[in-house]
Amino acid sequence: MTNHEYDRTTLYIDGQWVAPAATGTIDVVDPATEEVIGHVPGGTEADVDVAVAAARRAFDPLIGVDERRQRLDAVITAMEKRLPQIAETITREMGAPIRISQTVQTQVPLAVARGFADALADFEFSERIGNSLVVREPYGVVSAITPWNYPLYQVVAKVLPAIAAGCTVVLKPSNEAPLSVFEFVEALDDAGLPPGVVNLVSGPGSVIGERMAAHPDVDFVSFTGSTEVGARVGELAGRNIKKVALELGGKSANVILDGADLATAVRVGVGNAFLNGGQTCMAWTRMLVPLSRYSEALDLVAAAVAKYTVGDPWDPATRIGPSASQRQFETVLGFIERASRDGARLVAGGPEKIRDTGYYVAPTVFADVLPDSDLGQEEVFGPVLAVIPFRDSDEALEIANGTPYGLSGAVWAADDDTAIAFARQVQTGQLDINGGKYNPAAPFGGYKKSGVGRELGRFGFEEYLQTKSLQLP
Ligand code: NAD
């Protein structure tokens, strides 16, 4: 493979690939080789303004449901054709093992996309409440700002419900993994969407992202990323009273109550924590275990972790590739070093270099993690699991709820009713009960500092609708 095979010099605005207003570019680095593999344009505020104007022109508040359905179906068909190529690009740009790129990174977005088609098919756009006719209308022009960890999924979770609702979009991908998003936008172009319905602008978050959040002619800002940047986006959007949806960080707890099937809970929990190299916002990064079964659990964790092969993301046997970027790699190593200093006990992995080239981190487990330490509180976004013992279920609940986040989690117990009763008390947006499986149509989103609003399925679709009441005579 040659360098710079992924050079992109144009933005997608008003149905055309057009030169950006300035000549700046952003390097895209393969985290497995540390080589620059391509560039995308470093757009400017002027590019955002042109894209928002195109999106505004394309917005028709009276667009029919049939037209939306046709657009959505065409997009899903065009996207599906490009998934094999997009999977390879994702592995190249952010290091996800190819097996993960071909499954979770691309098939889950397809399932999510179909979930929006189902939501649209079943949706009642008007209802009577007394003498009022309540109608649901497309929200308007949407700014969609996305991160690098699941580059296609994050974009699909915003752009597809926007199309289903009849909104128009200005999309900004991450700087770390923008190339797969350019390929997704090529699929939108193949689908023959009318000009301006979806526009793509790449560039620095501090320039492009801030303009998209603050732009006076944007109606809704949908952001996924870190809690810190989400707060800034919310602040900028709030000044113009825009609707905001924020999907932010997490520090989710996998709570294994006394009487649970410990072996299954540990095996599934380790798999969840290390999925995509731990770069998953909903990862269960804290494993809460009863003190009475603590040493048994640690033995099971060590045995499970030993199966997580780290290495070349193109090897189908690899389960963990490199961290997605140098910045992320250094952040993860910093957490590992601080955890040891804070008195946590290293059970597996550690900070040692495991390859000369590439941002590889060994799957790492710490036991005896103090709930209020950095590792017990902060999102690492790498393959680092914190195991925390508890004395009884009251203490388990206190620890589970004892972070600023509330995105995801799991509860395992002797029976489902006990697990559900516990889960009802956890301040978090989504919980798996005794191994209940992922549902791409179920609402997903955060309590507390994990965010505002919900994505996926009918709930995610409804975020893109405005509500109007007509009082009938
Ligand atoms: P990030 O917050 O640094 O960046 C996210 C996006 O915002 C990128 O496109 C970035 O360019 C842009 N951005 C940066 N500064 C900006 C600014 N000042 N104004 C507007 N936009 C700006 O996050 P990241 O490092 O790309 O992603 C990792 C984080 O995302 C993690 O904290 C993770 O938990 C979170 N995340 C959350 C979810 C979720 O659904 N809740 C999903 C994936 C990732």
Side-chain angles (χ1 to χ4, degrees):
M1 287 184 206
T2 54
N3 264 358
H4 304 180
E5 61 181 302
Y6 285 118
D7 269 340
R8 296 282 181 174
T9 55
T10 50
L11 305 171
Y12 188 72
I13 297 176
D14 210 9
Q16 304 287 331
W17 289 98
V18 295
T23 54
T25 58
I26 290 170
D27 290 350
V28 183
V29 175
D30 178 341
T33 63
E34 302 182 30
E35 285 172 5
V36 174
I37 53 162
H39 300 98
V40 294
T44 61
E45 291 191 350
D47 296 307
V48 174
D49 292 352
V50 176
V52 171
R56 177 58 61 194
R57 281 194 303 279
F59 178 62
D60 171 8
L62 299 178
I63 180 174
V65 174
D66 285 348
E67 170 69 20
R68 303 178 210 185
R69 192 171 296 131
Q70 278 163 19
R71 289 180 185 180
L72 199 61
D73 290 347
V75 165
I76 292 171
T77 304
M79 179 177 111
E80 196 173 359
K81 284 197 191 122
R82 287 195 184 246
L83 290 184
Q85 176 195 352
I86 290 177
E88 292 191 357
T89 301
I90 289 174
T91 291
R92 202 82 208 283
E93 67 186 350
M94 56 77 63
I98 188 68
R99 274 277 166 79
I100 298 291
S101 293
Q102 289 165 340
T103 52
V104 187
Q105 289 276 9
T106 47
Q107 293 304 318
V108 172
L110 185 61
V112 163
R114 290 185 175 137
F116 291 122
D118 293 343
L120 178 62
D122 296 341
F123 200 73
E124 297 291 343
F125 282 90
S126 61
E127 64 175 294
R128 286 291 294 260
I129 298 181
N131 69 321
S132 299
L133 180 66
V134 179
V135 293
R136 309 298 300 277
E137 300 180 341
Y139 212 97
V141 174
V142 179
S143 281
I145 305 174
T146 59
W148 47 263
N149 61 337
Y150 290 93
L152 179 66
Y153 166 90
Q154 304 293 357
V155 164
V156 165
K158 299 186 190 312
V159 172
L160 278 272
I163 293 172
C167 294
T168 59
V169 182
V170 177
L171 169 64
K172 180 202 148 356
S174 71
N175 294 334
E176 291 81 359
L179 300 169
S180 52
V181 179
F182 275 72
E183 291 171 356
F184 166 76
V185 172
E186 281 174 346
L188 300 185
D189 194 44
D190 297 344
L193 282 185
V197 170
V198 179
N199 306 273
L200 173 68
V201 182
S202 54
S206 55
V207 179
I208 300 285
E210 298 222 353
R211 181 64 180 157
M212 286 170 65
H215 199 293
D217 208 22
V218 165
D219 301 298
F220 175 17
V221 183
S222 179
F223 170 86
T224 299
S226 61
T227 295
E228 190 188 2
V229 176
R232 173 72 180 148
V233 165
E235 181 191 329
L236 291 170
R239 287 185 197 161
N240 280 320
I241 321 295
K242 294 181 196 313
K243 173 166 176 160
V244 186
L246 303 171
E247 294 289 343
L248 309 176
K251 188 74 195 180
S252 299
N254 178 18
V255 183
I256 306 174
L257 295 173
D258 220 0
D261 172 354
L262 189 65
T264 305
V266 166
R267 179 177 50 76
V268 175
V270 167
N272 179 294
F274 291 157
L275 178 66
N276 204 33
Q279 302 166 127
T280 305
C281 53
M282 62 201 293
W284 308 336
T285 51
R286 297 180 298 154
M287 184 181 284
L288 275 50
V289 183
L291 208 45
S292 57
R293 305 186 73 184
Y294 192 46
S295 64
E296 191 189 343
L298 289 175
D299 289 346
L300 289 165
V301 170
V305 173
K307 297 192 178 133
Y308 281 77
T309 46
V310 185
D312 179 3
W314 297 95
D315 180 344
T318 293
R319 295 178 81 174
I320 299 184
S323 283
S325 66
Q326 187 173 5
R327 177 180 74 144
Q328 195 56 34
F329 174 67
E330 285 165 3
T331 302
V332 175
L333 290 186
F335 271 103
I336 293 175
E337 276 154 20
R338 281 199 301 285
S340 297
R341 276 210 302 275
D342 287 348
R345 175 160 55 99
L346 190 63
V347 173
E352 285 74 31
K353 213 172 176 41
I354 53 173
R355 281 194 164 210
D356 286 340
T357 307
Y359 307 128
Y360 292 94
V361 180
T364 296
V365 180
F366 283 98
D368 308 348
V369 174
L370 295 174
D372 58 0
S373 65
D374 263 11
L375 188 60
Q377 290 286 312
E378 292 301 324
E379 180 174 61
V380 178
F381 235 52
V384 184
L385 175 65
V387 187
I388 304 175
F390 61 82
R391 280 185 298 273
D392 53 32
S393 64
D394 286 348
E395 191 183 30
L397 185 63
E398 196 182 312
I399 297 170
N401 284 336
T403 77
Y405 299 110
L407 191 57
S408 170
V411 184
W412 304 79
D415 58 80
D416 294 349
D417 288 346
T418 305
I420 290 168
F422 186 92
R424 294 291 300 261
Q425 303 173 77
V426 182
Q427 295 154 359
T428 194
Q430 189 168 99
L431 285 143
D432 292 1
I433 303 297
N434 278 336
K437 69 176 199 307
Y438 177 72
N439 176 0
F444 176 72
Y447 279 40
K448 302 193 283 184
K449 285 193 178 173
S450 287
V452 180
R454 292 292 178 270
E455 290 198 315
L456 310 188
R458 178 169 63 77
F459 284 82
F461 167 62
E462 281 193 69
E463 295 277 351
Y464 291 80
L465 296 173
Q466 184 62 282
T467 305
K468 181 182 281 174
S469 295
L470 306 172
Q471 277 63 249
L472 305 180

